[in-house]
Amino acid sequence: MADLDALRQELVTANRILAKENVLDSFGHISCRHPDNPNHFFMSRARAPEVLTEEDIMEFTLTGEVVGPTPAPGKPYSERFIHGAILEARPDVVSVIHNHSPSVIPFSVTGRKMRPIMHMCAPIGNDIPTWDIRTKFGDATNLLVTNMDMARDLAKTLGGRRVSLMRGHGSVIVGKSVREVVFNANYMEKNADMLIKALGMGEVEYLSDGEVATADKGRAGFTLERGWENWCNKVGRPYISQEWEMGPGFSKTDQ
Ligand code: MN
């Protein structure tokens, strides 16, 4: 049996870090698949990432129904379906972030492709699609993903990748652990910010497919831990070395 208290702490720390690093503000969320039940996941109730606590973490089915705790600490996020549909479509994924990461949004509304321009950002990949809610659900939605139909359509666009942008809204990013997805979301925001600056200066030299593949493959657990320890310190949360099992797909050697 996994240590679910440790998982709740990990999710709270992840929320604090993502807020501090400008990936989440009062909105956006991170989930983690239940380590003992792949058909459930954990995520906070609808509350800002900077103020939520362990008591706010709720358990859901992959179709977004509340499993617990009872009584519920509050109202769930209306976009929780994003997490369920991606975890349903991707058995390899343990953790999902949906964000409105501000530097990333311009790439969802212009023809400009977001691609990594710096080695730390390589894992976002060279092939990042943009999901447009309008294509299937018309031009009069509020752009929010509020049911499984919409969320499964988004998961389809994501396919087997790590990232999909969402037109006029934000993005989703997935990983094999909370620490991996937080790391890559932080560096995706940095990459987008640097890329906007570089585009203003002229022609941009992107990482090649070979460089992306090699940098991604060489990303060891040590790198993720180094970032996580530093970010824990920045947000005043205890650093707990990752000794416990995060769920399917997680291993200390390949994270
Ligand atoms: Mn959103």
Side-chain angles (χ1 to χ4, degrees), residues 40-56:
H40 287 186
F41 68 94
F42 292 96
M43 189 164 69
S44 172
R45 71 175 168 106
R47 202 174 185 197
E50 234 158 332
V51 297
L52 60 83
T53 69
E54 280 79 359
E55 286 70 45
D56 294 315

Side-chain angles (χ1 to χ4, degrees), residues 11-122:
L11 278 175
V12 172
T13 301
N15 272 278
R16 294 283 194 283
I17 291 170
L18 291 166
K20 180 82 173 174
E21 296 299 312
N22 218 19
V23 172
L24 306 181
D25 54 3
S26 306
F27 302 91
H29 16 88
I30 176 167
S31 62
C32 183
R33 196 190 290 274
H34 194 311
D36 301 322
N37 180 356
N39 299 317
H40 287 186
F41 68 94
F42 292 96
M43 189 164 69
S44 172
R45 71 175 168 106
R47 202 174 185 197
E50 234 158 332
V51 297
L52 60 83
T53 69
E54 280 79 359
E55 286 70 45
D56 294 315
I57 305 298
M58 297 171 73
E59 184 176 339
F60 300 93
T61 66
L62 296 189
T63 47
E65 285 109 41
V66 177
V67 176
T70 313
K75 196 169 106 60
Y77 291 117
S78 63
E79 292 195 292
R80 62 191 178 281
F81 306 102
I82 293 173
H83 301 259
I86 291 174
L87 292 168
E88 175 187 77
R90 293 280 299 274
D92 60 311
V93 166
V94 171
S95 186
V96 177
I97 296 172
H98 164 60
N99 63 76
H100 309 152
S101 190
S103 305
V104 175
I105 308 250
F107 295 92
S108 80
V109 295
T110 58
R112 220 35 112 157
K113 285 285 275 182
M114 189 169 66
R115 291 180 52 185
I117 57 167
M118 185 247 193
H119 70 102
M120 296 301 289
C121 315

